[in-house]
Amino acid sequence: MEQNSQIPIFGDLETEIQNAQDFSKKEDLTITFETKLSEKYLQTISNRSKDISFLHFVSVSMLEKRLCNGALIVYKEDEIVGHIFVHKHMLGKHPVFERCTLWVKNDYRKYHLGLLLMHELTIRFKEDYLVSIAKPPIVHMYNEFLGMGHVTLSQLSAEMIDTLEQIGKLRDEERYKYYVNARFYKIIKRKSIT
């Protein structure tokens, strides 16, 4: 696996998660699962998504909607230094949860806080259909490290493609990759959702 100059080579998942937790504790970072945030925090996150090219713009109202499903927020005192949100979509009558709006402040990126946030949500939603649609290669590496399966659009049913298009999640596979958890991967392989 190629190493990003700012990201150390991975050990095993358990060790990397423990290292990220130890770093968080040492730096007095607090990670909480939130379903509500102040207008000030929501505006900051929304503005950030406008300014950072790899994040899709999310308005305050979109963030509020996503918060209904939850978000993991990393705080350093009263400053948000990391976050990941959960966005709920419907595929027919089945909910599909998307890990989205992942961001970690530059000063903390080489300590796998993004991996820790993705891991926590992967565990929290392991009994559900979980998807990650991302552009940055580090997110792809994290998804693979977490055991998520990479799927191409050609592997998806026409119903799934139509749904992705309707919800605005049909992406260019040259730049974006789709990853799904084990439960969702089995369904995709059968090309049906029951």
Side-chain angles (χ1 to χ4, degrees):
M1 179 181 303
E2 276 186 43
Q3 181 185 7
N4 177 320
S5 62
Q6 301 216 343
I7 308 294
I9 293 175
F10 293 113
D12 62 277
L13 180 61
E14 188 176 305
T15 300
E16 295 299 342
I17 294 301
Q18 186 62 56
N19 288 344
Q21 290 169 335
D22 292 346
F23 173 78
S24 297
K25 187 175 181 179
K26 180 180 139 232
E27 293 295 315
D28 293 320
L29 302 178
T30 305
I31 302 173
T32 60
F33 188 78
E34 306 276 2
T35 55
K36 291 184 181 178
L37 286 172
S38 72
E39 182 76 20
K40 174 187 154 196
Y41 284 145
L42 291 173
Q43 193 61 58
T44 298
I45 293 167
S46 178
N47 291 342
R48 181 180 297 134
S49 74
K50 196 181 323 178
D51 297 337
I52 299 174
S53 64
F54 66 83
L55 288 177
H56 278 281
F57 174 70
V58 282
S59 66
V60 168
S61 62
M62 290 169 72
L63 290 169
E64 287 172 333
K65 183 179 177 185
R66 291 176 183 183
L67 274 171
C68 294
N69 304 300
L72 285 171
I73 308 293
V74 184
Y75 296 97
K76 174 74 172 183
E77 297 168 4
D78 65 346
E79 177 190 7
I80 293 179
V81 298
H83 52 70
I84 189 169
F85 285 73
V86 180
H87 192 179
K88 180 181 175 183
H89 307 286
M90 294 303 291
L91 182 56
K93 60 183 179 180
H94 299 279
V96 174
F97 297 94
E98 177 189 1
R99 291 187 324 230
C100 57
T101 321
L102 171 64
W103 175 83
V104 175
K105 187 175 180 176
N106 282 340
D107 299 348
Y108 301 108
R109 287 198 180 155
K110 62 184 169 186
Y111 301 100
H112 295 309
L113 292 181
L115 175 65
L116 177 60
L117 295 174
M118 289 171 64
H119 172 71
E120 294 297 324
L121 286 187
T122 303
I123 290 170
R124 188 177 287 263
F125 289 89
K126 72 179 177 185
E127 299 302 321
D128 297 295
Y129 299 135
L130 182 68
V131 64
S132 171
I133 306 167
K135 188 175 173 180
I138 187 65
V139 177
H140 305 323
M141 289 179 0
Y142 283 168
N143 277 319
E144 291 169 12
F145 200 50
L146 291 167
M148 302 273 288
H150 175 241
V151 293
T152 62
L153 294 177
S154 66
Q155 293 174 283
L156 303 178
S157 69
E159 175 192 25
M160 289 181 193
I161 294 286
D162 188 47
T163 300
L164 285 171
E165 189 169 28
Q166 287 175 25
I167 62 177
K169 294 293 177 178
L170 195 57
R171 302 278 186 244
D172 170 6
E173 284 188 298
E174 296 278 322
R175 295 179 294 156
Y176 292 87
K177 288 189 179 181
Y178 293 79
Y179 284 88
V180 296
N181 66 348
R183 183 158 193 258
F184 201 13
Y185 194 76
K186 287 177 192 173
I187 295 299
I188 288 170
K189 285 298 190 184
R190 291 198 315 238
K191 290 220 182 217
S192 66
I193 192 162
T194 57

